[in-house]
DNA sequence: TTGTAAGCGTTATCAC
DNA sequence: GTGATAACGCTTACAA
């Protein structure tokens, strides 16, 4: 039982003017008399008039909304500890700019045409912000359709698609280097598959720090797994069961670090006395754990803000040359790291 | 440089038919010949035609999208461990039904007119799903505008607005009762402000279990705080510093329980030997903590699914009498609880 | 079976 | 300053 909509026509009639005049009056153009504007405004208020969004879009050619797309590396945009912080930053910027965010369902298989491509060509959105891993083809399709795209926490090797990323290699480097400086010589690595940029970059950073510290890489100390605390627990279990186990482990994610700590505890190891652990991300819970987690703090909200602003610039045509912004991060030393026994 | 949109007109021209015929052909009505339909489909495919969403909405009168509104009790819909799971359920249902979800910015002050009310009267959305605390007035405004609303994890006392809620009282009851059965007589309570349904209900459940166990309520053992791990740490600190401290604590949220555990550890207390702790929610991390957390598992995804389906029914006019669904929960005994020393 | 006409609610253009 | 008139892209009603 939907009540009948009140349209601009009703407002115009009540105010005793024509429809176009009412439109002008409400949109603040200068070409109507103060008296008329007053009457129209009053009528609109009385009728609780709200312009029909679809009608405006149809004629204005823009939607004032953007799509936020969760990449293939997450099950849901709500179920990811990392992206929730990133999106807080994103949300702030778009909200302030008067843009609406449409969250699409997470991308699944690479074969299925994602909703955002459709939305782009249906002119439902003015821009797309992709958080995480995405198929190159989709991005190109969308750009070809005339809709600007900004990548978040991901970047494409081929085309110069604007992107904002964390300095993953740098973060992994400083974490590993810090462990080496503490005197550790057997430093384990719990990372992600190297066929994604994140996995590759963190692995690179880890190896580089090792090399600089004069420690040769030992593939036996490296475990590449999906980003999942449980899998990290298993992986750390393997490392700690080695004949000559590591005395320190760098996990590329706080969640993974938590899994590592669990595995250590299960074996009766004290942290950091028997094992030092460093994560990366700095999730909210990192400071509440026991002991609080030493980690590489990623500027998540800033990442989101930067990406959102880039997209806004692209939509408005302010900025035209795409750039990839690499955000620095910071090692936060807390309680899970200590000198080698 | 937005490339020119390809409209139905282009498709019709290429197929050599009129625009309405093309429309009919694409929408699968029976009134066009197979041959014509084939030609139109082919033309649409070749031109990569997508109907203009705003135009369809304008004439069809529906948007096939719903608004998801984060209530005033959260800072962001992405920054809440609980709602992310709920929304996973919500998302699944709407995705399958072909509906789009618009996530509005979180509600702030009660004075500001929220975006979803505006969207509802702008006919941008077919329904609203509010997750958490919301001002009664807004809900009534929206319903009055003809847009159905379903409440999630909240319900309004006055009007019969359809809602899906967890059995908060029941959960608090079984948690507390379990602790009493373990032999604890001094059971602390770390809860939320009682002026919200959640706070009130959990408090009620706690007190009821206490009463049934023959334990008088002791206001000195109850701390009412905002849902925040840090505040829970402080609150637990106070409880544990009592002359006669509790030997068990029920925290209304897993996050709070984590804070309680931290406070206990800071005082050198072993868990569960010196202090038993029960949370509520069963966040993903609950099974990874040290020791794994005993908690009341809330059927979060199911909550989301039920609420989404209710809204869908309301939108389609299938269901007309609003109901409040109370979902049962389940005590999951893990490692943070033990018999009284 | 198909084409013509009309209209959804809004804004832009251009006379008056 | 204001009001016709046209247009945005699409769909339904009706006539051919």
């Amino acid at each position: 039982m939907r009540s009948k909509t009140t349209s601009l026509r009703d407002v115009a009639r009540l105010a005793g003017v024509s429809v176009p005049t009412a439109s002008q009056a409400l949109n603040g153009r200068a070409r109507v008399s103060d008296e008329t504007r007053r009457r129209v405004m009053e009528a609109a208020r009385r009728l609780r008039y709200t312009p029909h969004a679809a009608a405006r879009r149809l004629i204005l050619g823009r939607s004032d909304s953007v799509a936020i797309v969760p990449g293939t590396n997450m099950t849901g945009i709500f179920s990811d500890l990392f992206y929730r912080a990133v999106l807080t930053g994103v949300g702030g910027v778009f909200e302030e700019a008067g843009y609406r965010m449409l969250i699409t369902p997470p991308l699944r298989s690479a074969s299925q045409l994602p909703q955002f491509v459709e939305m782009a060509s249906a002119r439902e959105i003015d821009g797309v912000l992709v958080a995480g891993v995405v198929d190159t083809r989709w991005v190109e399709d969308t750009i070809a359709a005339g809709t600007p795209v900004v990548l978040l926490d991901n970047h494409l090797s081929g085309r110069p698609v604007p992107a904002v990323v964390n300095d993953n290699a740098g973060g992994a480097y400083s974490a590993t280097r810090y462990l080496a400086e503490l005197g550790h010589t057997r430093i384990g690595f719990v990372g992600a598959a190297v066929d994604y940029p994140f996995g590759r970059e963190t692995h690179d950073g880890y190896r580089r720090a090792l090399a600089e510290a004069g420690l040769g890489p030992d593939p036996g100390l490296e475990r590449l797994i999906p980003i999942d605390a449980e899998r990290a627990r298993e992986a750390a279990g393997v490392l700690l069961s080695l004949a000559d186990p590591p005395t320190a482990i760098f996990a590329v994610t706080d969640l993974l670090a938590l899994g590592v700590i669990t595995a250590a505890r299960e074996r009766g190891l004290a942290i950091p006395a028997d094992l030092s652990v460093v994560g990366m991300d700095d999730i909210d819970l990192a400071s509440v754990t026991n002991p609080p987690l030493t980690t590489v703090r990623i500027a998540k909200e800033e990442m989101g803000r930067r990406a959102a602003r880039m997209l806004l610039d692209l939509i408005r045509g302010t900025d035209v040359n795409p750039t990839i912004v690499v955000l620095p991060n910071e090692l936060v030393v807390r309680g899970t790291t200590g000198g080698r026994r």
Side-chain angles (χ1 to χ4, degrees), chain A residues 89-166:
Chain A
V90 171
V93 171
F94 284 125
E95 181 182 357
E96 195 183 353
Y99 273 71
R100 204 152 288 150
M101 307 191 303
L102 317 205
I103 316 281
T104 74
L107 298 175
R108 301 196 191 291
S109 71
S111 58
Q112 174 200 349
L113 186 77
Q115 208 180 66
F116 79 88
V117 175
E118 206 183 314
M119 293 198 296
S121 57
R123 292 285 172 268
E124 279 196 277
I125 48 178
D126 299 340
V128 176
L129 200 151
V130 182
V133 178
V134 64
D135 193 280
T136 312
R137 188 165 24 106
W138 297 336
V139 172
E140 309 217 321
D141 279 4
T142 308
I143 294 177
T147 303
V149 178
V150 167
L151 268 27
L152 220 163
D153 190 40
N154 184 25
H155 57 94
L156 267 27
S157 32
R159 264 178 171 278
V161 181
V164 179
V165 295
N166 172 51

Side-chain angles (χ1 to χ4, degrees), chain A residues 226-264:
Chain A
I227 307 287
D228 178 281
E230 191 52 34
R231 302 295 298 270
R233 209 191 99 246
E234 294 167 17
V238 173
L239 291 179
L240 296 173
S241 305
L242 253 34
D244 187 9
T247 59
I249 292 179
F250 167 56
V252 295
T253 273
D254 283 358
L255 215 57
L256 298 184
L258 257 32
V260 170
I261 292 175
T262 304

Side-chain angles (χ1 to χ4, degrees), chain A residues 303-323:
Chain A
M303 254 176 97
R305 266 181 254 122
R306 290 290 281 274
R309 281 199 221 103
M310 280 177 78
L311 185 54
L312 240 32
D313 286 347
L314 251 27
I315 291 173
R316 293 169 173 159
T318 315
D319 188 6
V320 276
N321 39 348
T323 353

Side-chain angles (χ1 to χ4, degrees), chain A residues 18-304:
Chain A
S18 74
V19 170
T21 301
S23 172
Q24 301 289 6
L26 290 175
N27 289 341
R29 307 297 201 200
R31 330 176 352 198
V32 302
S33 75
D34 287 358
E35 166 57 16
T36 305
R37 158 161 303 120
R38 214 193 40 71
R39 285 217 318 278
V40 173
M41 300 281 250
E42 171 64 17
R45 213 175 43 72
R46 288 243 310 261
L47 263 34
R48 299 162 140 272
Y49 167 72
T50 315
H52 193 297
R56 297 196 84 208
R57 285 179 193 182
L58 183 55
I59 190 141
L60 289 177
R62 63 190 160 81
S63 63
D64 290 331
S65 35
V66 294
I68 311 292
V69 179
T72 46
N73 57 333
M74 54 186 122
T75 55
I77 202 147
F78 309 118
S79 42
D80 195 292
L81 253 20
F82 177 79
Y83 288 104
R84 68 149 213 242
V86 172
L87 289 172
T88 302
V90 171
V93 171
F94 284 125
E95 181 182 357
E96 195 183 353
Y99 273 71
R100 204 152 288 150
M101 307 191 303
L102 317 205
I103 316 281
T104 74
L107 298 175
R108 301 196 191 291
S109 71
S111 58
Q112 174 200 349
L113 186 77
Q115 208 180 66
F116 79 88
V117 175
E118 206 183 314
M119 293 198 296
S121 57
R123 292 285 172 268
E124 279 196 277
I125 48 178
D126 299 340
V128 176
L129 200 151
V130 182
V133 178
V134 64
D135 193 280
T136 312
R137 188 165 24 106
W138 297 336
V139 172
E140 309 217 321
D141 279 4
T142 308
I143 294 177
T147 303
V149 178
V150 167
L151 268 27
L152 220 163
D153 190 40
N154 184 25
H155 57 94
L156 267 27
S157 32
R159 264 178 171 278
V161 181
V164 179
V165 295
N166 172 51
D167 181 7
N168 293 319
Y173 171 81
S174 40
T176 311
R177 175 178 156 167
Y178 176 66
L179 290 171
E181 285 172 355
L182 286 174
H184 295 280
T185 53
R186 291 189 63 73
I187 303 174
F189 178 77
V190 175
V194 289
D195 42 350
Y196 291 124
F198 173 75
R200 186 168 8 88
E201 292 159 10
T202 45
H203 188 249
D204 288 352
Y206 161 76
R207 286 241 176 155
R208 186 159 63 86
L210 241 42
E212 286 192 10
L215 305 169
D218 178 350
L221 289 181
E222 303 175 358
R223 310 295 300 181
L224 269 29
I225 57 167
I227 307 287
D228 178 281
E230 191 52 34
R231 302 295 298 270
R233 209 191 99 246
E234 294 167 17
V238 173
L239 291 179
L240 296 173
S241 305
L242 253 34
D244 187 9
T247 59
I249 292 179
F250 167 56
V252 295
T253 273
D254 283 358
L255 215 57
L256 298 184
L258 257 32
V260 170
I261 292 175
T262 304
R265 284 257 167 69
E266 286 170 353
R267 278 159 188 72
L269 299 177
I271 293 189
D274 301 318
L275 181 74
S276 286
V277 179
V278 181
M280 183 150 102
D281 186 346
D282 194 33
I283 58 178
D284 292 346
L285 258 50
S287 55
V288 194
T289 55
N290 272 284
L293 188 66
T294 294
T295 190
V296 175
R297 173 180 299 155
I298 299 180
K300 291 170 290 229
E301 295 210 12
E302 176 63 11
M303 254 176 97

